[in-house]
Amino acid sequence: MTIDEKLSHFYDVTIEDAQAKAAGILEEHRKALAQMTEKHKADSQENAQVQIKAETANARREINKALSAEQLTIKRDWTKKQNELKEKLFAEVKTQMENFRNTPDYPAYLESKIKEALDFAEQDKINIYLSPEDSALLPDLVERTKAFITVSAEDFLGGVKATIPHKNILIDHSFAGNFQAVYKEFKFDGGPKHE
C-alpha cells in the first residue's frame, strides 16, 4: 500500500469515525432535546394546571363574595319588608282595638276583667284603674261590679289595670300592655306549618 493509499484509507477511516461520533453526538443531542421538550411540556402543563386551579379558586372567591353581598342585600330588603308589614299589621290591630272599644261588648269585657281582678285579690285591698278614654263607662262599671274604680292618669288604650299594694302585684289587662307585649314578641315565621 502506497502512502497515498494509506492516507486515503486513513482519511476514509477518520471520516467514518468522525461521522459515527458526530452521529452519536447528534443522537445524544436529539435525545437530550426530546427530554428537554418533554420536561418543558410537563412543566408547562403543571404550570397551566396550577394557574387553572388558582384562577378557579379566585373565581370561586369572587362568586362567593358577590353571592354574600347579594344575600345581605336580600336579607336587608326582606327585613325592611317584614318591618313594613309588621307596622301595617299592628296599625290594623290598633284600629280593631279602637273599633272593639266602641261596641256594646266592650263594657261587658271590662266588667269581666274587673271581676277577675276582684276574685284574684280575694279579701286584699285592690286598686282598679280605667284608661282615661273610658271614663264615661265608670259609673255603670262601679254599679255593676260594686268595686272602687279610679280613672288612671296614664292612657293605656283601654282595658283594665289593677294593683294589690299589700302583695306588690300588678294585674295588667290593658290593651296597651298586651299590644306592646305582642308587638315586641311578634316575628314572621313563614306562615302556618302544613302537616
Side-chain angles (χ1 to χ4, degrees):
M1 223 192 257
T2 66
I3 288 198
D4 282 340
E5 288 176 341
K6 284 184 183 178
L7 278 175
S8 176
H9 177 67
F10 178 73
Y11 176 78
D12 290 340
V13 168
T14 306
I15 293 291
E16 279 179 30
D17 187 46
Q19 284 178 338
K21 283 182 180 177
I25 291 171
L26 278 175
E27 188 57 36
E28 279 181 32
H29 191 62
R30 269 193 207 112
K31 285 180 182 177
L33 284 176
Q35 285 178 343
M36 287 173 62
T37 302
E38 288 302 316
K39 185 174 182 335
H40 182 70
K41 280 183 186 177
D43 289 347
S44 293
Q45 285 181 343
E46 187 177 320
N47 287 341
Q49 290 300 322
V50 167
Q51 184 78 19
I52 288 170
K53 284 180 182 175
E55 290 298 322
T56 302
N58 190 37
R60 278 196 182 111
R61 276 193 301 277
E62 291 299 318
I63 289 169
N64 287 342
K65 192 192 299 184
L67 181 62
S68 185
E70 187 60 27
Q71 286 174 331
L72 190 60
T73 301
I74 289 170
K75 188 172 184 174
R76 260 192 235 120
D77 292 347
W78 175 253
T79 301
K80 181 180 174 188
K81 189 63 174 173
Q82 281 184 331
N83 288 337
E84 287 173 8
L85 290 173
K86 181 178 179 179
E87 291 302 319
K88 189 175 179 181
L89 174 67
F90 279 90
E92 179 66 27
V93 168
K94 206 169 199 179
T95 301
Q96 291 296 325
M97 286 186 333
E98 289 167 3
N99 290 343
F100 174 65
R101 290 182 55 233
N102 294 321
T103 66
D105 293 336
Y106 182 62
Y109 168 80
L110 291 176
E111 182 181 343
S112 72
K113 293 303 173 187
I114 292 168
K115 286 181 178 176
E116 278 181 32
L118 290 169
D119 289 345
F120 181 80
E122 294 175 342
Q123 301 301 318
D124 291 325
K125 181 180 183 301
I126 185 168
N127 300 320
I128 300 172
Y129 302 96
L130 283 182
S131 192
E133 61 268 11
D134 294 333
S135 60
L137 303 173
L138 182 65
D140 188 44
L141 289 170
V142 168
E143 184 180 319
R144 288 173 172 224
T145 62
K146 307 296 184 222
F148 180 74
I149 304 171
T150 308
V151 174
S152 174
E154 171 194 359
D155 177 16
F156 45 84
L157 303 178
V160 174
K161 282 188 176 184
T163 59
I164 304 172
H166 175 68
K167 294 184 178 175
N168 204 20
I169 293 176
L170 169 68
I171 300 169
D172 189 355
H173 292 297
S174 68
F175 288 178
N178 292 333
F179 181 84
Q180 303 241 337
V182 171
Y183 183 86
K184 188 176 178 182
E185 297 291 321
F186 183 83
K187 287 186 174 75
F188 285 97
D189 64 0
K193 295 185 188 217
H194 300 286
E195 295 180 14

